[in-house]
Amino acid sequence: MAQKELDGLRVAILVNDDFEQVEMTGPRQALEEAGAQTFLISVKPGQVQGFNHAEKGDVFKVDRALEDANPDDFDALMLPGGVLNADKLRMVSAAQEFARRFDQDRKPIAVLCHAPWLLVSSGLVDGRTLTSYYTLQDDIRNAGGRWQDREVIRDGNWVTSRNPRDLPAFNRAMIDLFSEVGERGQAAAVMGAGEGGRDRNDPGVPGGGKGRTDEVGGSGVYPALAEDAPGDAASHGEASWGQGSRGAAGYKDSGGSELSLGRDREED
């Protein structure tokens, strides 16, 4: 059997209750299809509740409670959004420390929609370039980050996207980022050497330099995505994301039309 891109990679997916279901299940499916092992981690053991926009979705088995999860056991971190999930998770000190450990160890982190709130509350966004659901832009800028309205942004060991419409691009960028772990043999290699290695703020490290965004295609966004134009709040409208089992694509707006990739802002 041919080796997959992420064979053997262990990915922590950190959520609280009320996460946006498709923002967990879509990336999780993409990761597992690429060969990764995924572990759903939550503040409490047992089960965790998903949401489909404003409606309750499914419940999911928690693989490991946060208090029992050691960042050293994982190669990468994925943070789904959902406003209630993200707003609660950002206030959990153990979740903040969990995220800090991944970033300090130069491990790759993929973050979607409202989930950058945890990075803000963890003190990690100063000097970084990222995107998010558009209502977070003031929080990110006030914390020293550079916010851009793009469907996906790669900044060193981070990949960020805005909303469920961006999932196809987000999943591609996440898998490409995470695959660098396997290609280079260690999680720390994404941002330079681990303990005793060069600092991620060192411009000599690939992806390093404070606030440096990967200038892929001259745009600072992921390859082939530079044509994505900034949206505006007037384009904000209702959408139905469907059930999480639909994975990363196939979303329809309230009129039944297929959604384009990340052209407008949508609530999660």
Side-chain angles (χ1 to χ4, degrees), residues 46-62:
Q47 294 181 321
V48 66
Q49 177 71 56
F51 258 70
N52 293 314
H53 198 40
E55 302 294 330
K56 276 192 174 183
D58 300 321
V59 294
F60 296 84
K61 179 181 178 294
V62 173

Side-chain angles (χ1 to χ4, degrees), residues 87-232:
D87 197 37
K88 289 184 288 188
L89 197 60
R90 70 182 300 191
M91 301 309 297
V92 178
S93 58
Q96 295 173 12
E97 182 57 26
F98 196 75
R100 287 190 201 105
R101 284 281 303 279
F102 278 86
D103 200 52
Q104 289 166 2
D105 292 343
R106 286 78 165 169
K107 292 181 180 180
I109 303 174
V111 192
L112 186 60
C113 208
H114 285 84
W117 263 338
L118 180 59
L119 304 180
V120 169
S121 294
S122 302
L124 297 176
V125 304
D126 186 21
R128 304 300 295 262
T129 301
L130 63 156
T131 193
S132 69
Y133 187 67
Y134 76 102
T135 59
L136 275 64
Q137 60 183 288
D138 287 346
D139 292 340
I140 290 169
R141 288 175 175 137
N142 289 338
R146 182 182 179 216
W147 186 87
Q148 294 180 349
D149 185 15
R150 299 284 181 178
E151 65 181 356
V152 63
I153 292 177
R154 164 82 184 267
D155 183 0
N157 62 325
W158 291 7
V159 160
T160 55
S161 283
R162 302 170 302 186
N163 55 51
R165 279 187 168 183
D166 298 339
L167 275 170
F170 175 78
N171 288 344
R172 290 194 302 269
M174 172 182 64
I175 289 171
D176 285 349
L177 172 63
F178 288 8
S179 70
E180 294 179 13
V181 177
E183 289 171 0
R184 299 177 65 181
Q186 56 178 341
V190 174
M191 290 294 289
E195 184 176 351
R198 290 182 292 173
D199 188 88
R200 71 173 173 85
N201 290 331
D202 179 356
V205 177
K210 193 174 183 65
R212 174 178 170 182
T213 304
D214 288 1
E215 292 296 330
V216 182
S219 67
V221 298
Y222 213 73
L225 301 176
E227 76 281 2
D228 181 45
D232 57 63

